[in-house]
Amino acid sequence: RNYGIPATNPLVGVAGAAEEIWSMGLRNPWRFSFDRLTGDIFIGDVGEGSFEEVSFQPASASGAPALNYGWPCYEGDATFLPSHPDCVGGSPGDYVFPILTLSRSGDNACSVIGGYRYRGADFPSLRGWYFYSDWCAGRLWAAKPNAQGEWISFDLGSVGGFSYTGFAEGDDGELYLAGRYSVLQITGPTDLLFEDGFEIGDAGFWTTIVLRDPIGRPRGRSAPAPPDPGRSSPEAPLHARASGGSRRRSGPRRRAC
């Protein structure tokens, strides 16, 4: 082989094991990313039949023992195949459960698209929010942990007819959505027509979120439920706009994983 294996990998020296393995129990990761500020890893993992999930590995994870994200013993938070040889005798404490899940029934999800945590400078209200999507649902979600460490997710709606295939992060930390025919930028409120108290930053007034299609016309709207007391919520409305607009960027772009 023409590569090295870190001596700290959890299966180094284990007879019959693939020493390259760092973590296990992932079914079909589709887009993973590093938090450029903390080094944490976010992993979008496509499910089998009922749930899509986003898993999380902190930068502080030592790798010993190898973290097990549960597949095929679990799909999302639900038991999936407890009779599998790798699952027999296991207990929930043996696994790392996802921080976020999407239901194939309630959310119309079928193939999660893992995204990025926003660490750019242009839109301060987006900082720290993790953005992700799903190919079938065609919607954008944003999530952030509350004071108790529980990840709370908000459905931000969709751009009509636009199915997302991946995210990308620029060298400046700004985020982009890639689809079959377009690339959109995730932006804050600076060029959005505010509605229903958006402009004062009070989440209690939020009744609609306006997204932009590739030619800039308002399209899909959503009506998210008001956040529960004590939960975090975006400080400003979020939307996607076509790339190549009036805001210019310099330097190369980093591809999404």
Side-chain angles (χ1 to χ4, degrees), residues 76-128:
D77 296 314
T79 300
F80 184 79
L81 195 61
S83 61
H84 190 279
D86 291 341
C87 307
V88 174
S91 66
D94 297 330
Y95 308 108
V96 178
F97 288 89
I99 58 171
L100 301 163
T101 60
L102 295 173
S103 167
R104 293 200 173 186
S105 55
D107 295 309
N108 193 35
C110 76
S111 182
V112 67
I113 310 296
Y116 284 86
R117 199 170 192 181
Y118 182 82
R119 297 298 188 185
D122 286 354
F123 307 102
S125 62
L126 307 189
R127 288 176 187 161

Side-chain angles (χ1 to χ4, degrees), residues 137-157:
R139 303 202 303 277
L140 183 66
W141 283 269
K144 198 174 188 180
N146 61 16
Q148 292 73 43
E150 175 188 7
W151 283 80
I152 307 300
S153 182
F154 294 88
D155 185 344
L156 304 182

Side-chain angles (χ1 to χ4, degrees), residues 16-115:
E19 296 183 336
E20 293 89 343
I21 293 176
W22 169 259
S23 299
M24 59 187 69
L26 295 165
R27 181 184 175 273
N28 183 17
W30 183 254
R31 308 310 194 207
F32 73 92
S33 65
F34 290 90
D35 184 329
R36 64 192 294 144
L37 180 64
T38 66
D40 299 332
I41 305 175
F42 293 85
I43 309 166
D45 197 14
V46 177
E48 174 71 19
S50 299
F51 298 100
E52 306 297 306
E53 62 186 76
V54 175
S55 293
F56 176 82
Q57 185 166 118
S60 60
S62 66
L67 297 182
N68 189 327
Y69 290 95
W71 179 261
C73 313
Y74 290 86
E75 183 185 29
D77 296 314
T79 300
F80 184 79
L81 195 61
S83 61
H84 190 279
D86 291 341
C87 307
V88 174
S91 66
D94 297 330
Y95 308 108
V96 178
F97 288 89
I99 58 171
L100 301 163
T101 60
L102 295 173
S103 167
R104 293 200 173 186
S105 55
D107 295 309
N108 193 35
C110 76
S111 182
V112 67
I113 310 296

